[in-house]
Amino acid sequence: MTMLYHTTGFVLSCCDHQEADRRYTAYTTDYGKIDFLARGGHKPLAKLTPHLESLAEVRLLIVFGKTFLTVAGVDRLRSFPQLSSQLSLLSLAKSGLHLVDIGTREQEQDPSVYALIGEWLDFLNQQEDVSPERAAFLLGSFVWKLMAVTGYRPELYRCLACRRPIERGSYRWHGLKGGVVCETCVRLDEATWFTARPLDDETLKLVRFSLQQSFQDQLRPHLPFESLSRYHETIESFIISHFPTIPANSLRASCLVFSGC
Ligand SMILES: [Zn+2]
C-alpha cells in the first residue's frame, strides 16, 4: 500500500541513483531527516529538480512506498536569491546543510533544527560577502548551535567533574566528555582526564560567544590567527566525538572549497 503525505523541508544533499533517478536527503518539519527518490523514468523529474536543487524551503508531496520514499510534487515556499549570486555565501550555506546531513539521525523530528536551518539561510541571504576566516567562524557558530539543539550542548562554565565554576587559566578541554574540566579534577583523576587538552581564556570566550550569540553578532569579533586556530581545534574535537558521521573536510577547508550539490 502506498501513502501520500505533504511536508515542508530543506534539501540537504542530492546525488544520482541508478541510471535515471536522483536521490535526495531533506530535513523536514514532520519527519526530520528523510531520504527520497525522484524517478527519472517519467517526465516529472525535469519539473522537480529545479526546485529540489536550488537553495529553498520547499513543500513536498512524498509517496511512502514499500521500499522507498518517492517525491511526487514540489513547490518552492521560500527562496534565498542572494545566495546564488555570491559563491562564498552559497558554499557556506551548503556547508551548513551538509553538516546537518551528517550531524543528525534519520527520522528524528526536531523543530529547533528546522528553525536553525531557516535562520542560517536567512542570515546568509542578507550578507554581501565574507572572508574565508569569517566564513569558517560562522560555520563554527552554526555547528555549536546545531550541537546544542541536538542534545550535545557543551559545558563551558562548570567543571564536568566537580561542577564548580571554572577559574580563568585553570581548566582544560575534553571534546569527548563534552566541555571543560578544572585542573584540580584532572590532577585528582588522571586516568579519566588524561586526554583533556589545554584551552586558553581567549579561545573559550570565542566558543561561548559563537554558541550563544546570533549569527549577525558573529561578524563582530576580531579573529586573530592563533585564537582562530585553537577555536577550530576545539570545535573539531567536539565534532569528531559527537557527530554520527565525521566530516571529510575540516570547517576551514570546507570554507575554501566550493562543493557542489
Ligand atoms: Zn573540577
Side-chain angles (χ1 to χ4, degrees):
M1 193 173 86
T2 56
M3 291 176 288
L4 282 168
Y5 291 99
H6 277 111
T7 187
T8 58
F10 295 99
V11 173
L12 304 176
S13 63
C14 55
C15 59
D16 286 331
H17 178 80
Q18 297 181 343
E19 273 195 23
D21 301 341
R22 295 283 279 165
R23 183 184 178 136
Y24 296 91
T25 303
Y27 200 92
T28 64
T29 45
D30 298 274
Y31 311 103
K33 189 174 76 171
I34 54 169
D35 278 348
F36 57 85
L37 297 179
R39 297 291 192 186
H42 315 282
K43 64 174 189 255
L45 183 64
K47 287 186 182 168
L48 299 176
T49 48
H51 294 305
L52 290 168
E53 300 190 11
S54 57
L55 274 175
E57 184 177 23
V58 288
R59 183 165 167 79
L60 297 162
L61 179 61
I62 300 284
V63 183
F64 281 64
K66 244 189 210 168
T67 324
F68 293 112
L69 275 60
T70 311
V71 61
V74 55
D75 290 315
R76 202 176 301 190
L77 298 178
R78 180 162 55 137
S79 55
F80 306 93
Q82 280 292 105
L83 291 178
S84 45
S85 63
Q86 184 53 260
L87 197 59
S88 61
L89 295 171
L90 183 64
S91 175
L92 188 51
K94 289 193 170 191
S95 295
L97 296 179
H98 174 64
L99 289 162
V100 174
D101 191 5
I102 64 173
T104 56
R105 295 174 204 282
E106 281 191 22
Q107 301 199 14
E108 287 184 1
Q109 183 242 16
D110 187 337
S112 311
V113 174
Y114 194 87
L116 183 65
I117 298 170
E119 197 186 323
W120 175 243
L121 298 179
D122 264 340
F123 163 73
L124 293 176
N125 191 49
Q126 291 162 27
Q127 306 310 308
E128 298 208 331
D129 194 11
V130 286
S131 68
E133 292 76 20
R134 187 65 61 182
F137 185 62
L138 281 165
L139 195 56
S141 174
F142 180 78
V143 170
W144 287 123
K145 293 178 200 314
L146 178 65
M147 302 293 270
V149 297
T150 52
Y152 295 101
R153 188 181 190 86
E155 175 52 74
L156 304 176
Y157 291 90
R158 291 178 177 272
C159 168
L160 286 167
C162 69
R163 305 305 303 160
R164 290 194 188 96
I166 52 162
E167 289 172 19
R168 284 178 69 85
S170 184
Y171 53 87
R172 295 193 196 189
W173 171 257
H174 201 296
L176 181 59
K177 292 190 189 295
V180 288
V181 55
C182 74
E183 289 286 6
T184 310
C185 288
V186 173
R187 272 198 305 277
L188 290 174
D189 187 359
E190 283 185 11
T192 300
W193 300 104
F194 75 101
T195 55
R197 35 186 291 281
L199 183 65
D200 62 286
D201 295 331
E202 200 54 39
T203 308
L204 180 60
K205 207 168 125 189
L206 273 184
V207 173
R208 285 172 174 167
F209 188 90
S210 65
L211 171 64
Q212 292 159 358
Q213 305 304 316
S214 69
F215 290 127
Q216 187 66 37
D217 286 336
Q218 308 303 320
L219 300 173
R220 289 196 283 115
H222 177 55
L223 302 172
F225 179 79
E226 280 303 314
S227 295
L228 202 53
S229 292
R230 288 192 294 265
Y231 170 87
H232 283 293
E233 285 164 18
T234 308
I235 196 164
E236 270 150 27
S237 75
F238 205 68
I239 290 174
I240 287 167
S241 303
H242 301 290
F243 259 42
T245 306
I246 308 298
N249 293 323
S250 71
L251 299 188
R252 278 170 291 183
S254 62
C255 289
L256 294 171
V257 181
F258 174 71
S259 56
C261 184

